[in-house]
Amino acid sequence: MDATNNVACADRPTIMITNDDGIHSPGLQALVRTLASTDRYRLWICAPDSDNSSVSHSVTVRRAVSAMPTEISGATAYAISGTPSDCISLGTSKALFPSVPDLVLSGINKGSNCGLHIVYSGTVAGARQAFIHGIPSVAISYEWIEGTSNINDFTLAAEACLPMISAIFVEIKNKTYPKECFLNVNLPTDILNHKGFMLTKQGNSIMEAGWKQVSSGSQTMTMQPSSVSINPDAKAVSQEPLLFKLELKGGQVENGGTDFGPLLEGYITVTPLGALTNADTDSHKFFNQWLPGVASSAV
């Protein structure tokens, strides 16, 4: 976006957009196009330069992170050589952009982020990072199903989110938007015929996974001297590592108002989240009784 357009947008609320699928992913591109078409927001993009799915809330600390200016119509954009958390941490620091955004959107992710999957999600981490910095934020994911979904569904998903985004800005302007949470939004596969918004709680659903041993194929992997233990009694028993690949086998569905069940029923689920998950009351009661006896029971 040129300087003239930046000046024209200066009096509009600013939305910063990130994701974990990468800056060129169709979900992010559809969200930017849809928001730009409203001509109501100044758009800043600070997103990973490559796929960072399932990196959770990891941050880059052992190397410098690059920010490459990237041409995306309707926005000022940078491709970042880091994680979604890095993107928002950098993007909201005033080191890259001149001010702090009014709202951060993370998505639209290809695949839902419900239940325990939010622990792994880079999309949710991007919104969580903004929340940690005191900035209203929303993680947005679309329940993509291979063979059923198509690229145009991301645009429909973005359009379905517009009323919510507009309503959030009303609350921000009135200084009534809650500061104790951020939102995790999931859109159903049949987004064109969605049943509306439903407030839900995070459930415990998680994809069943397993590990399968695979061959190295054409890859030759050898143990480097730097990776060998300095313990003189330790001996390497093999120069070839065992290779394993993670396999996703199926999902678990929950009912009772948690996030994944209503999503499968066709609702756009809206789940308020905090930065941390506290243990349940019964666990606190147990450890309250257990902890005083720990020292006396030590042998």
Side-chain angles (χ1 to χ4, degrees), residues 59-122:
V59 296
T60 302
V61 295
R62 293 181 177 86
R63 61 175 174 82
V65 171
S66 66
M68 178 65 69
T70 303
E71 185 66 30
I72 297 180
S73 180
T76 301
Y78 290 90
I80 310 299
S81 64
T83 67
S85 178
D86 291 332
C87 293
I88 295 305
S89 182
L90 173 61
T92 60
S93 69
K94 298 184 182 179
L96 185 62
F97 293 98
S99 61
V100 175
D102 299 292
L103 176 68
V104 166
L105 301 178
S106 186
I108 299 171
N109 189 65
K110 184 179 181 181
S112 62
N113 280 300
C114 294
L116 297 178
H117 287 288
I118 69 167
V119 175
Y120 308 99
S121 171

Short mmCIF file of all heavy atoms in Angstrom, two decimals, residues 59-122:
data_model
loop_
_atom_site.label_atom_id
_atom_site.label_comp_id
_atom_site.label_asym_id
_atom_site.label_seq_id
_atom_site.Cartn_x
_atom_site.Cartn_y
_atom_site.Cartn_z
N VAL A 59 8.46 -19.47 20.29
CA VAL A 59 9.06 -18.19 19.89
C VAL A 59 10.49 -18.44 19.43
O VAL A 59 11.11 -19.44 19.80
CB VAL A 59 9.05 -17.17 21.06
CG1 VAL A 59 7.63 -16.82 21.44
CG2 VAL A 59 9.81 -17.70 22.26
N THR A 60 11.00 -17.53 18.62
CA THR A 60 12.36 -17.65 18.09
C THR A 60 13.31 -16.83 18.95
O THR A 60 13.16 -15.61 19.06
CB THR A 60 12.41 -17.15 16.64
OG1 THR A 60 11.47 -17.90 15.85
CG2 THR A 60 13.79 -17.31 16.05
N VAL A 61 14.28 -17.50 19.55
CA VAL A 61 15.20 -16.79 20.45
C VAL A 61 16.67 -16.99 20.07
O VAL A 61 17.53 -16.27 20.58
CB VAL A 61 14.99 -17.25 21.91
CG1 VAL A 61 13.62 -16.85 22.40
CG2 VAL A 61 15.20 -18.76 22.06
N ARG A 62 16.98 -17.94 19.19
CA ARG A 62 18.39 -18.26 18.91
C ARG A 62 18.89 -17.68 17.59
O ARG A 62 20.03 -17.93 17.21
CB ARG A 62 18.59 -19.78 18.92
CG ARG A 62 18.39 -20.40 20.30
CD ARG A 62 18.63 -21.90 20.28
NE ARG A 62 18.50 -22.46 21.61
CZ ARG A 62 17.33 -22.85 22.14
NH1 ARG A 62 16.22 -22.74 21.42
NH2 ARG A 62 17.28 -23.33 23.37
N ARG A 63 18.06 -16.94 16.90
CA ARG A 63 18.48 -16.32 15.64
C ARG A 63 17.65 -15.06 15.39
O ARG A 63 16.61 -14.87 16.01
CB ARG A 63 18.30 -17.29 14.47
CG ARG A 63 16.86 -17.74 14.26
CD ARG A 63 16.71 -18.61 13.02
NE ARG A 63 15.37 -19.16 12.88
CZ ARG A 63 14.32 -18.51 12.38
NH1 ARG A 63 14.47 -17.25 11.96
NH2 ARG A 63 13.14 -19.09 12.28
N ALA A 64 18.15 -14.23 14.50
CA ALA A 64 17.40 -13.03 14.12
C ALA A 64 16.22 -13.42 13.24
O ALA A 64 16.25 -14.43 12.53
CB ALA A 64 18.31 -12.06 13.37
N VAL A 65 15.17 -12.64 13.31
CA VAL A 65 13.97 -12.87 12.50
C VAL A 65 13.90 -11.80 11.42
O VAL A 65 14.05 -10.60 11.71
CB VAL A 65 12.70 -12.80 13.39
CG1 VAL A 65 11.44 -12.82 12.54
CG2 VAL A 65 12.69 -13.98 14.37
N SER A 66 13.69 -12.22 10.19
CA SER A 66 13.62 -11.27 9.08
C SER A 66 12.16 -10.88 8.80
O SER A 66 11.24 -11.66 9.05
CB SER A 66 14.23 -11.87 7.81
OG SER A 66 13.45 -12.97 7.34
N ALA A 67 11.99 -9.67 8.30
CA ALA A 67 10.67 -9.16 7.90
C ALA A 67 10.77 -8.66 6.47
O ALA A 67 11.39 -7.62 6.20
CB ALA A 67 10.23 -8.04 8.83
N MET A 68 10.20 -9.41 5.54
CA MET A 68 10.29 -9.11 4.12
C MET A 68 9.02 -8.38 3.65
O MET A 68 7.92 -8.94 3.73
CB MET A 68 10.45 -10.38 3.30
CG MET A 68 10.49 -10.15 1.79
SD MET A 68 11.92 -9.19 1.25
CE MET A 68 13.24 -10.37 1.58
N PRO A 69 9.12 -7.13 3.17
CA PRO A 69 7.95 -6.45 2.62
C PRO A 69 7.34 -7.29 1.50
O PRO A 69 8.05 -7.81 0.64
CB PRO A 69 8.51 -5.13 2.09
CG PRO A 69 9.77 -4.91 2.87
CD PRO A 69 10.33 -6.29 3.10
N THR A 70 6.03 -7.44 1.54
CA THR A 70 5.33 -8.30 0.60
C THR A 70 4.13 -7.56 0.02
O THR A 70 3.39 -6.89 0.74
CB THR A 70 4.84 -9.59 1.30
OG1 THR A 70 5.98 -10.25 1.88
CG2 THR A 70 4.16 -10.53 0.32
N GLU A 71 3.94 -7.67 -1.28
CA GLU A 71 2.86 -6.96 -1.95
C GLU A 71 1.55 -7.74 -1.81
O GLU A 71 1.40 -8.83 -2.38
CB GLU A 71 3.19 -6.78 -3.43
CG GLU A 71 2.18 -5.95 -4.20
CD GLU A 71 2.14 -4.49 -3.77
OE1 GLU A 71 3.19 -3.98 -3.32
OE2 GLU A 71 1.06 -3.87 -3.88
N ILE A 72 0.62 -7.20 -1.05
CA ILE A 72 -0.72 -7.75 -0.93
C ILE A 72 -1.70 -6.58 -1.05
O ILE A 72 -1.64 -5.65 -0.24
CB ILE A 72 -0.93 -8.50 0.39
CG1 ILE A 72 0.00 -9.71 0.47
CG2 ILE A 72 -2.38 -8.94 0.54
CD1 ILE A 72 -0.13 -10.52 1.74
N SER A 73 -2.55 -6.62 -2.03
CA SER A 73 -3.45 -5.51 -2.32
C SER A 73 -4.32 -5.17 -1.12
O SER A 73 -4.91 -6.05 -0.50
CB SER A 73 -4.34 -5.84 -3.52
OG SER A 73 -5.23 -4.78 -3.81
N GLY A 74 -4.37 -3.88 -0.79
CA GLY A 74 -5.23 -3.40 0.28
C GLY A 74 -4.62 -3.43 1.66
O GLY A 74 -5.28 -3.12 2.64
N ALA A 75 -3.33 -3.80 1.75
CA ALA A 75 -2.70 -3.94 3.06
C ALA A 75 -1.22 -3.60 3.00
O ALA A 75 -0.61 -3.58 1.92
CB ALA A 75 -2.88 -5.36 3.58
N THR A 76 -0.65 -3.30 4.14
CA THR A 76 0.79 -3.22 4.31
C THR A 76 1.23 -4.53 4.93
O THR A 76 0.78 -4.89 6.02
CB THR A 76 1.18 -2.05 5.24
OG1 THR A 76 0.69 -0.83 4.68
CG2 THR A 76 2.69 -1.97 5.40
N ALA A 77 2.09 -5.26 4.23
CA ALA A 77 2.35 -6.64 4.61
C ALA A 77 3.83 -6.95 4.74
O ALA A 77 4.66 -6.44 3.97
CB ALA A 77 1.72 -7.60 3.59
N TYR A 78 4.15 -7.80 5.72
CA TYR A 78 5.50 -8.32 5.91
C TYR A 78 5.43 -9.82 6.12
O TYR A 78 4.60 -10.32 6.89
CB TYR A 78 6.17 -7.68 7.13
CG TYR A 78 6.54 -6.23 6.95
CD1 TYR A 78 5.63 -5.23 7.30
CD2 TYR A 78 7.78 -5.85 6.43
CE1 TYR A 78 5.96 -3.89 7.14
CE2 TYR A 78 8.11 -4.52 6.26
CZ TYR A 78 7.20 -3.54 6.63
OH TYR A 78 7.52 -2.22 6.46
N ALA A 79 6.31 -10.54 5.42
CA ALA A 79 6.46 -11.98 5.62
C ALA A 79 7.59 -12.18 6.62
O ALA A 79 8.72 -11.70 6.42
CB ALA A 79 6.78 -12.67 4.30
N ILE A 80 7.30 -12.88 7.70
CA ILE A 80 8.23 -13.01 8.82
C ILE A 80 8.81 -14.41 8.86
O ILE A 80 8.08 -15.41 8.75
CB ILE A 80 7.50 -12.72 10.16
CG1 ILE A 80 6.73 -11.40 10.07
CG2 ILE A 80 8.49 -12.72 11.31
CD1 ILE A 80 7.58 -10.19 9.80
N SER A 81 10.12 -14.50 9.08
CA SER A 81 10.78 -15.81 9.17
C SER A 81 10.69 -16.33 10.60
O SER A 81 11.70 -16.67 11.22
CB SER A 81 12.24 -15.70 8.74
OG SER A 81 12.95 -14.86 9.65
N GLY A 82 9.48 -16.40 11.11
CA GLY A 82 9.27 -16.85 12.47
C GLY A 82 7.89 -17.44 12.65
O GLY A 82 7.16 -17.70 11.68
N THR A 83 7.52 -17.65 13.88
CA THR A 83 6.25 -18.28 14.23
C THR A 83 5.13 -17.24 14.31
O THR A 83 5.39 -16.03 14.31
CB THR A 83 6.38 -18.97 15.60
OG1 THR A 83 6.56 -17.95 16.62
CG2 THR A 83 7.57 -19.92 15.62
N PRO A 84 3.87 -17.68 14.40
CA PRO A 84 2.78 -16.72 14.58
C PRO A 84 2.96 -15.86 15.83
O PRO A 84 2.67 -14.65 15.81
CB PRO A 84 1.55 -17.62 14.70
CG PRO A 84 1.90 -18.83 13.91
CD PRO A 84 3.36 -19.05 14.17
N SER A 85 3.46 -16.45 16.90
CA SER A 85 3.72 -15.67 18.11
C SER A 85 4.79 -14.61 17.86
O SER A 85 4.67 -13.47 18.31
CB SER A 85 4.16 -16.61 19.24
OG SER A 85 4.47 -15.88 20.41
N ASP A 86 5.85 -14.98 17.13
CA ASP A 86 6.87 -14.00 16.74
C ASP A 86 6.24 -12.85 15.96
O ASP A 86 6.57 -11.68 16.18
CB ASP A 86 7.93 -14.65 15.85
CG ASP A 86 8.82 -15.64 16.58
OD1 ASP A 86 9.01 -15.49 17.80
OD2 ASP A 86 9.31 -16.56 15.91
N CYS A 87 5.37 -13.20 15.02
CA CYS A 87 4.76 -12.19 14.14
C CYS A 87 4.02 -11.14 14.94
O CYS A 87 4.16 -9.94 14.70
CB CYS A 87 3.82 -12.87 13.15
SG CYS A 87 4.64 -13.93 11.93
N ILE A 88 3.20 -11.59 15.89
CA ILE A 88 2.41 -10.64 16.67
C ILE A 88 3.28 -9.90 17.68
O ILE A 88 3.10 -8.70 17.92
CB ILE A 88 1.24 -11.35 17.34
CG1 ILE A 88 0.29 -11.88 16.27
CG2 ILE A 88 0.50 -10.42 18.27
CD1 ILE A 88 -0.21 -10.84 15.29
N SER A 89 4.23 -10.58 18.27
CA SER A 89 5.14 -9.92 19.19
C SER A 89 5.90 -8.81 18.49
O SER A 89 6.01 -7.68 19.01
CB SER A 89 6.12 -10.94 19.79
OG SER A 89 6.99 -10.33 20.72
N LEU A 90 6.43 -9.08 17.30
CA LEU A 90 7.13 -8.08 16.52
C LEU A 90 6.17 -7.02 15.99
O LEU A 90 6.44 -5.82 16.09
CB LEU A 90 7.87 -8.75 15.35
CG LEU A 90 8.53 -7.81 14.33
CD1 LEU A 90 9.59 -6.95 15.00
CD2 LEU A 90 9.14 -8.63 13.18
N GLY A 91 5.06 -7.47 15.45
CA GLY A 91 4.12 -6.54 14.81
C GLY A 91 3.50 -5.54 15.75
O GLY A 91 3.13 -4.43 15.33
N THR A 92 3.37 -5.90 17.02
CA THR A 92 2.75 -5.00 17.99
C THR A 92 3.77 -4.25 18.84
O THR A 92 3.41 -3.52 19.75
CB THR A 92 1.80 -5.78 18.93
OG1 THR A 92 2.55 -6.77 19.64
CG2 THR A 92 0.68 -6.45 18.15
N SER A 93 5.06 -4.41 18.52
CA SER A 93 6.12 -3.83 19.33
C SER A 93 6.45 -2.38 18.97
O SER A 93 7.23 -1.74 19.67
CB SER A 93 7.39 -4.67 19.18
OG SER A 93 7.92 -4.54 17.87
N LYS A 94 5.92 -1.90 17.85
CA LYS A 94 6.22 -0.59 17.27
C LYS A 94 7.61 -0.54 16.62
O LYS A 94 8.05 0.51 16.18
CB LYS A 94 6.09 0.54 18.29
CG LYS A 94 4.70 0.72 18.87
CD LYS A 94 4.63 1.93 19.79
CE LYS A 94 3.26 2.08 20.41
NZ LYS A 94 3.20 3.25 21.34
N ALA A 95 8.28 -1.69 16.56
CA ALA A 95 9.56 -1.75 15.86
C ALA A 95 9.36 -1.90 14.36
O ALA A 95 10.21 -1.46 13.57
CB ALA A 95 10.39 -2.93 16.39
N LEU A 96 8.24 -2.47 13.95
CA LEU A 96 7.96 -2.70 12.54
C LEU A 96 6.88 -1.77 12.02
O LEU A 96 7.00 -1.21 10.93
CB LEU A 96 7.54 -4.16 12.33
CG LEU A 96 7.32 -4.63 10.90
CD1 LEU A 96 8.61 -4.52 10.09
CD2 LEU A 96 6.81 -6.07 10.87
N PHE A 97 5.81 -1.60 12.78
CA PHE A 97 4.71 -0.70 12.43
C PHE A 97 4.73 0.49 13.39
O PHE A 97 5.24 0.40 14.51
CB PHE A 97 3.37 -1.43 12.51
CG PHE A 97 3.20 -2.50 11.47
CD1 PHE A 97 3.44 -3.84 11.78
CD2 PHE A 97 2.81 -2.19 10.18
CE1 PHE A 97 3.28 -4.83 10.83
CE2 PHE A 97 2.65 -3.18 9.22
CZ PHE A 97 2.89 -4.50 9.54
N PRO A 98 4.15 1.63 12.98
CA PRO A 98 4.27 2.85 13.79
C PRO A 98 3.43 2.87 15.06
O PRO A 98 3.66 3.70 15.94
CB PRO A 98 3.81 3.96 12.83
CG PRO A 98 2.90 3.26 11.87
CD PRO A 98 3.50 1.90 11.69
N SER A 99 2.44 1.99 15.16
CA SER A 99 1.57 2.01 16.33
C SER A 99 1.03 0.61 16.59
O SER A 99 1.30 -0.33 15.84
CB SER A 99 0.40 2.99 16.13
OG SER A 99 -0.39 2.60 15.01
N VAL A 100 0.28 0.48 17.67
CA VAL A 100 -0.32 -0.80 18.04
C VAL A 100 -1.68 -0.92 17.36
O VAL A 100 -2.45 0.04 17.34
CB VAL A 100 -0.48 -0.88 19.58
CG1 VAL A 100 -1.21 -2.16 19.98
CG2 VAL A 100 0.89 -0.82 20.25
N PRO A 101 -2.02 -2.08 16.79
CA PRO A 101 -3.32 -2.23 16.13
C PRO A 101 -4.47 -2.23 17.14
O PRO A 101 -4.27 -2.47 18.33
CB PRO A 101 -3.21 -3.60 15.44
CG PRO A 101 -2.23 -4.35 16.29
CD PRO A 101 -1.22 -3.33 16.74
N ASP A 102 -5.65 -1.93 16.64
CA ASP A 102 -6.84 -1.95 17.49
C ASP A 102 -7.36 -3.36 17.70
O ASP A 102 -8.00 -3.66 18.71
CB ASP A 102 -7.94 -1.09 16.85
CG ASP A 102 -7.51 0.35 16.70
OD1 ASP A 102 -7.36 1.03 17.72
OD2 ASP A 102 -7.31 0.79 15.55
N LEU A 103 -7.11 -4.24 16.71
CA LEU A 103 -7.61 -5.61 16.75
C LEU A 103 -6.65 -6.51 16.00
O LEU A 103 -6.10 -6.11 14.97
CB LEU A 103 -9.00 -5.69 16.12
CG LEU A 103 -9.65 -7.08 16.00
CD1 LEU A 103 -10.00 -7.64 17.37
CD2 LEU A 103 -10.91 -7.01 15.12
N VAL A 104 -6.43 -7.72 16.52
CA VAL A 104 -5.63 -8.72 15.83
C VAL A 104 -6.52 -9.88 15.43
O VAL A 104 -7.31 -10.39 16.25
CB VAL A 104 -4.47 -9.23 16.72
CG1 VAL A 104 -3.86 -10.51 16.15
CG2 VAL A 104 -3.41 -8.16 16.86
N LEU A 105 -6.42 -10.30 14.17
CA LEU A 105 -7.11 -11.48 13.68
C LEU A 105 -6.07 -12.50 13.25
O LEU A 105 -5.11 -12.16 12.55
CB LEU A 105 -8.00 -11.13 12.48
CG LEU A 105 -9.09 -10.09 12.71
CD1 LEU A 105 -9.85 -9.82 11.41
CD2 LEU A 105 -10.05 -10.53 13.81
N SER A 106 -6.25 -13.74 13.65
CA SER A 106 -5.32 -14.81 13.29
C SER A 106 -6.08 -15.87 12.50
O SER A 106 -6.94 -16.56 13.03
CB SER A 106 -4.71 -15.41 14.55
OG SER A 106 -3.71 -16.35 14.23
N GLY A 107 -5.77 -15.99 11.21
CA GLY A 107 -6.47 -16.94 10.37
C GLY A 107 -6.61 -16.42 8.94
O GLY A 107 -5.91 -15.48 8.57
N ILE A 108 -7.48 -17.01 8.16
CA ILE A 108 -8.39 -18.09 8.49
C ILE A 108 -7.65 -19.42 8.31
O ILE A 108 -7.10 -19.69 7.25
CB ILE A 108 -9.64 -18.06 7.60
CG1 ILE A 108 -10.39 -16.74 7.81
CG2 ILE A 108 -10.52 -19.26 7.86
CD1 ILE A 108 -11.53 -16.54 6.80
N ASN A 109 -7.64 -20.22 9.37
CA ASN A 109 -6.89 -21.47 9.33
C ASN A 109 -7.62 -22.52 8.50
O ASN A 109 -8.85 -22.60 8.49
CB ASN A 109 -6.70 -22.01 10.75
CG ASN A 109 -5.75 -23.19 10.78
OD1 ASN A 109 -4.57 -23.04 10.47
ND2 ASN A 109 -6.25 -24.35 11.15
N LYS A 110 -6.85 -23.36 7.82
CA LYS A 110 -7.39 -24.48 7.06
C LYS A 110 -7.53 -25.67 7.99
O LYS A 110 -6.59 -26.43 8.20
CB LYS A 110 -6.48 -24.82 5.87
CG LYS A 110 -7.04 -25.91 4.97
CD LYS A 110 -6.09 -26.18 3.80
CE LYS A 110 -6.63 -27.26 2.87
NZ LYS A 110 -5.69 -27.55 1.75
N GLY A 111 -8.70 -25.81 8.58
CA GLY A 111 -8.94 -26.83 9.58
C GLY A 111 -9.36 -26.21 10.89
O GLY A 111 -8.90 -25.12 11.25
N SER A 112 -10.26 -26.86 11.59
CA SER A 112 -10.78 -26.30 12.84
C SER A 112 -9.75 -26.38 13.95
O SER A 112 -8.80 -27.16 13.89
CB SER A 112 -12.06 -27.04 13.26
OG SER A 112 -11.78 -28.41 13.52
N ASN A 113 -9.93 -25.54 14.95
CA ASN A 113 -9.10 -25.57 16.16
C ASN A 113 -10.04 -25.59 17.37
O ASN A 113 -10.39 -24.53 17.91
CB ASN A 113 -8.17 -24.36 16.21
CG ASN A 113 -6.95 -24.54 15.34
OD1 ASN A 113 -6.17 -25.47 15.53
ND2 ASN A 113 -6.79 -23.67 14.35
N CYS A 114 -10.44 -26.79 17.75
CA CYS A 114 -11.38 -26.97 18.86
C CYS A 114 -10.75 -27.85 19.92
O CYS A 114 -9.74 -28.53 19.68
CB CYS A 114 -12.68 -27.62 18.37
SG CYS A 114 -13.64 -26.62 17.24
N GLY A 115 -11.38 -27.88 21.08
CA GLY A 115 -10.96 -28.79 22.14
C GLY A 115 -9.50 -28.64 22.49
O GLY A 115 -8.96 -27.53 22.58
N LEU A 116 -8.83 -29.76 22.68
CA LEU A 116 -7.43 -29.75 23.09
C LEU A 116 -6.49 -29.37 21.96
O LEU A 116 -5.30 -29.14 22.20
CB LEU A 116 -7.05 -31.12 23.66
CG LEU A 116 -7.81 -31.53 24.92
CD1 LEU A 116 -7.39 -32.92 25.37
CD2 LEU A 116 -7.58 -30.52 26.05
N HIS A 117 -7.00 -29.26 20.74
CA HIS A 117 -6.14 -28.88 19.62
C HIS A 117 -5.67 -27.44 19.73
O HIS A 117 -4.69 -27.06 19.07
CB HIS A 117 -6.88 -29.10 18.29
CG HIS A 117 -7.02 -30.54 17.93
ND1 HIS A 117 -5.96 -31.31 17.50
CD2 HIS A 117 -8.08 -31.37 17.97
CE1 HIS A 117 -6.37 -32.54 17.28
NE2 HIS A 117 -7.66 -32.61 17.56
N ILE A 118 -6.33 -26.63 20.55
CA ILE A 118 -5.85 -25.26 20.70
C ILE A 118 -4.47 -25.22 21.35
O ILE A 118 -3.74 -24.23 21.22
CB ILE A 118 -6.84 -24.39 21.51
CG1 ILE A 118 -6.90 -24.82 22.97
CG2 ILE A 118 -8.22 -24.41 20.88
CD1 ILE A 118 -7.59 -23.82 23.86
N VAL A 119 -4.09 -26.31 22.04
CA VAL A 119 -2.77 -26.37 22.66
C VAL A 119 -1.69 -26.36 21.58
O VAL A 119 -0.62 -25.76 21.74
CB VAL A 119 -2.64 -27.63 23.53
CG1 VAL A 119 -1.21 -27.76 24.08
CG2 VAL A 119 -3.64 -27.59 24.67
N TYR A 120 -1.95 -27.04 20.45
CA TYR A 120 -0.98 -27.15 19.38
C TYR A 120 -1.06 -26.01 18.37
O TYR A 120 -0.11 -25.77 17.62
CB TYR A 120 -1.19 -28.47 18.61
CG TYR A 120 -1.23 -29.70 19.46
CD1 TYR A 120 -2.44 -30.27 19.83
CD2 TYR A 120 -0.05 -30.30 19.90
CE1 TYR A 120 -2.48 -31.41 20.62
CE2 TYR A 120 -0.08 -31.44 20.69
CZ TYR A 120 -1.30 -31.99 21.04
OH TYR A 120 -1.33 -33.11 21.82
N SER A 121 -2.16 -25.33 18.33
CA SER A 121 -2.47 -24.42 17.22
C SER A 121 -1.62 -23.16 17.20
O SER A 121 -1.60 -22.38 18.15
CB SER A 121 -3.95 -24.02 17.29
OG SER A 121 -4.24 -23.00 16.36
N GLY A 122 -0.94 -22.92 16.09
CA GLY A 122 -0.25 -21.65 15.88
C GLY A 122 -1.23 -20.53 15.63
O GLY A 122 -0.97 -19.37 15.96
#
